[in-house]
Amino acid sequence: MSSFLGMNTLSKKLLFILMSMAIFSTAVVTGVLSAYEFVSAKREQTRALQNIADTLAPNLTAALLFNDQDTMQEMLSSLLSRKDVLRASITNTQKQLVNVTSELYQQHIQQGPDSLIEVTSLLIMDEQVYGDLTIWANDSYIDKRVGFYVQFLAALLVLTFGLSLFLSLFLKQGFLRPLMHLSKVAERVSRTNDYSLRAQQSSDDEVANLTGYFNGMLETIEQRDSMLEKQVSLRTQELEAANKKLLQYAYTDGLTGLPNRHFFYEKLQGLVASQSHFGLIFIDLDGFKEVNDTLGHDYGDILLNQAGQRITRCVRDQDVVARLGGDEFTIVIEGVSEQQRLATIADTVLQALTKRFTIKQETAYVSGSIGMAFYPANGQTVDELVKHADQAMYVSKARGRNCYQFFSADMQEEAQHKRRLLEELRVALAEQQFELYFQPIVALNSDSEPMPVHKAEALIRWNHPERGVVSPGEFIHVIEEAGLIRELSQWIMQQTVETVSQWYQQGCANIQISVNTSPSQFNDGGKWIDDWIHALALYEIPAHSIIIEITENVLMTTDDSIKHQLSRLQHRGMDVAIDDFGVGYSSLAYLQQLDINLLKIDRSFIQPLSEDQDSVALVRAIVTMAHHLGLKVVAEGVETEQQWQQVLNVACDYVQGYIVSKPMTKDAFYQRYLSQYQQA
């Protein structure tokens, strides 16, 4: 109802204006006519009463002259026959003589004398006034006239309202038709967003101009909308292309074009979620670092790309080959659970990788170390399966590379043991559970008298809180793999320098301690040498009191940095020894090129001296060569008298082994070998 009565449309507002104007005009006219009719009725009533009074005046004058009371009373009473006459009276010049009053007179008097119409006529005869006749009347005549007129006006007003309404509706339709059409078109455009719609011009007035402007606006919006749609379509295509590229970048390795680590893990997650059986192959390229170091990273990138292509050709199209990063590749073989199937693929991959790589007229060779695992036999989750395949791959590397290994429970047990050992080693470093032991190195002579001990090797031991003393062979490799060797080497250096300083203060000025170094220390640009120089200066001990032992593997990378570091050691006065000589791959020419003072023959050459003459000849050749180069020779691992005699016969300079002494603590070594010379 409120919406029906509300002025919520232009049609209703226009109709309201037209009808208001019509009603207002009709009301004004009706008011004016009603006022005119009221005045006219009152004037007519007054005129009629005056005529009556003037008509009765001559007869009443005669009756007054004769003092005929009855006649005057009768004539006045006849006036009351009119419904509007309430009272009539005759008065002479002295007083009122006759008075006639209607029953309604008092009521009108109470309402106020002003509501009565009063008419007076003089009683004259022969131009002499004898009295007057006064008539009082109410407005009943006027009311009757006005009532009739009101009914007439009401009928006229209804007729006028109807005609006005009809005329207004007609005019409204004619006037609003263009606007309503314009409104409907605007509504359709708003509802359908179809800016191709146009409003028709049906007149030449301002509405036509509005329609033209409206159509022009629609045309502009349509053009802009079309342009915007084209831009949006173009932008959408660009975004879709960008999304495809981003998706490709997110799941594709940029170097090889193979699926990347992200894709690989999502693939495994999906296979594990669907509980599909599959085999997982981990491949790590052997010798890739050497290609990068010698030829450069550009060549290494090309080799990785070619290696990825070779691996891809070894499997089916539905199998997934991915690059995890660096030189690591993986293969996911779905629907397999037998080792023979994966072994065949692994053999094919190894054969493909060992073939020659031709890169920009350069030739390179690599191989592969492969680890394999099955789902669900070797792991119930993606992380477990990847870890186990990775463990099998590292076992392949440890067993000589260019081979494959299947994951086994022993590998897991070994990995867990290694992890626990590493945790214990971290605690040992923090709590300083390590201790230096010293094994004497004695000079050989033909006399039976024992020679003074001026050299010893510092050997690390781990005082395990549960297992007791642990030799370095059980934990050094773990320390190196975990990157803790520098921290341990710093501790060894500190303990060695402190011990030598203490012995020097006690009078043992001729002692020389041999300390092993890790090949990884040579990768820090010689910082470890700076640490030694600083420590020697801090404790004020001579540099020649320290012998730095290096392995033959260091000699395999005799670049300028290695040569420079060995030269710095010699320049600072520290001797350099090659430890375990004969078991590595060093060239004998390196001994002449590098600054070396001491050669320690590995125990594997010393052990068979008692029984094998070939070993004797080999050791003699090493000693002769070393002496020719000006090097001293130490025979390691001498345990029997026969071995002692043999190394003496081949002219070794020093002996180190159980025949002299096992490694012992600092205090025991001092008491046994140094204290007596101090007292002497």
Side-chain angles (χ1 to χ4, degrees), residues 481-496:
E481 291 176 3
L484 301 175
I485 191 64
R486 175 173 175 77
E487 184 177 351
L488 182 60
S489 297
Q490 289 280 353
W491 183 87
I492 293 174
M493 178 192 69
Q494 186 71 22
Q495 294 297 315
T496 301

Side-chain angles (χ1 to χ4, degrees), residues 123-177:
L123 300 179
I124 301 173
M125 182 174 286
D126 297 331
E127 298 181 354
Q128 183 177 353
V129 178
Y130 293 97
D132 58 61
L133 170 63
T134 302
I135 301 173
W136 289 271
N138 60 14
D139 54 1
S140 60
Y141 175 79
I142 297 175
D143 292 342
K144 183 177 180 181
R145 285 283 303 272
V146 170
F148 171 77
Y149 190 69
V150 166
Q151 292 179 359
F152 172 76
L153 287 180
L156 181 62
L157 186 62
V158 170
L159 179 61
T160 303
F161 182 81
L163 292 175
S164 299
L165 179 61
F166 174 77
L167 184 61
S168 297
L169 291 175
F170 176 77
L171 294 176
K172 182 198 70 171
Q173 291 295 330
F175 177 73
L176 289 182
R177 185 178 294 108

Side-chain angles (χ1 to χ4, degrees), residues 389-636:
D390 193 52
Q391 290 175 356
M393 183 265 292
Y394 277 105
V395 170
S396 296
K397 279 190 173 295
R399 294 183 179 178
R401 305 183 177 185
N402 195 27
C403 62
Y404 62 84
Q405 293 292 329
F406 288 96
F407 172 78
S408 64
D410 293 339
M411 294 181 186
Q412 177 67 6
E413 184 177 350
E414 181 180 352
Q416 291 177 353
H417 171 71
K418 187 175 180 180
R419 180 182 58 81
R420 289 193 298 267
L421 181 61
L422 179 58
E423 292 176 356
E424 292 176 349
L425 286 171
R426 293 184 187 276
V427 175
L429 284 171
E431 298 181 356
Q432 296 188 0
Q433 297 175 2
F434 296 102
E435 182 180 3
L436 282 185
Y437 277 47
F438 297 87
Q439 188 175 32
I441 302 174
V442 298
L444 279 173
N445 60 16
S446 57
D447 300 333
S448 58
E449 294 294 329
M451 295 292 292
V453 175
H454 297 296
K455 297 182 187 296
E457 182 176 0
L459 300 170
I460 187 74
R461 293 293 184 268
W462 178 14
N463 294 318
H464 195 282
E466 297 177 358
R467 298 165 56 191
V469 179
V470 181
S471 64
E474 298 186 35
F475 62 84
I476 282 295
H477 66 286
V478 178
I479 289 282
E480 291 181 338
E481 291 176 3
L484 301 175
I485 191 64
R486 175 173 175 77
E487 184 177 351
L488 182 60
S489 297
Q490 289 280 353
W491 183 87
I492 293 174
M493 178 192 69
Q494 186 71 22
Q495 294 297 315
T496 301
V497 174
E498 287 181 1
T499 301
V500 173
S501 175
Q502 180 181 353
W503 289 343
Y504 264 64
Q505 293 173 8
Q506 294 172 347
C508 304
N510 295 324
I511 191 67
Q512 195 175 32
I513 302 300
S514 177
V515 181
N516 289 282
T517 59
S518 170
S520 62
Q521 290 182 264
F522 285 84
N523 297 327
D524 66 357
K527 187 178 183 304
W528 66 281
I529 299 178
D530 296 333
D531 295 336
W532 272 106
I533 295 173
H534 176 73
L536 293 172
L538 181 65
Y539 285 90
E540 298 179 349
I541 59 176
H544 67 79
S545 63
I546 301 297
I547 301 175
I548 300 298
E549 292 192 12
I550 64 175
T551 62
E552 284 186 281
N553 291 334
V554 174
L555 302 182
M556 291 296 295
T557 56
T558 53
D559 55 14
D560 292 339
S561 175
I562 301 298
K563 293 179 180 179
H564 176 68
Q565 293 181 51
L566 295 179
S567 296
R568 285 189 64 194
L569 292 173
Q570 289 285 358
H571 179 71
R572 288 291 179 174
M574 286 182 280
D575 290 341
V576 178
I578 297 180
D579 192 21
D580 300 331
F581 183 81
V583 298
Y585 306 94
S586 65
S587 171
L588 297 178
Y590 294 153
L591 300 178
Q592 185 178 9
Q593 297 174 6
L594 301 176
D595 295 320
I596 306 297
N597 304 100
L598 200 63
L599 203 65
K600 301 182 73 173
I601 302 176
D602 186 70
R603 67 179 63 246
S604 62
F605 294 96
I606 305 301
Q607 295 297 324
L609 287 180
S610 302
E611 304 171 354
D612 188 359
Q613 291 301 315
D614 291 337
S615 297
V616 174
L618 182 58
V619 171
R620 179 179 288 110
I622 295 175
V623 173
T624 302
M625 174 198 64
H627 287 167
H628 182 74
L629 295 174
L631 307 180
K632 297 294 185 180
V633 180
V634 178
E636 294 185 299

Side-chain angles (χ1 to χ4, degrees), residues 246-279:
L246 288 175
L247 188 62
Q248 182 179 3
Y249 292 152
Y251 289 98
T252 304
D253 176 57
L255 179 62
T256 62
L258 297 174
N260 59 9
R261 177 184 294 269
H262 188 57
F263 179 90
F264 167 74
Y265 275 96
E266 283 199 3
K267 178 67 174 180
L268 292 191
Q269 291 287 0
L271 292 175
V272 171
S274 62
Q275 297 184 349
S276 302
H277 289 235
F278 63 92

Side-chain angles (χ1 to χ4, degrees), residues 289-304:
K289 183 178 183 301
E290 287 72 14
V291 175
N292 259 348
D293 294 341
T294 56
L295 299 180
H297 290 278
D298 291 341
Y299 287 81
D301 292 344
I302 297 175
L303 188 146
L304 288 175

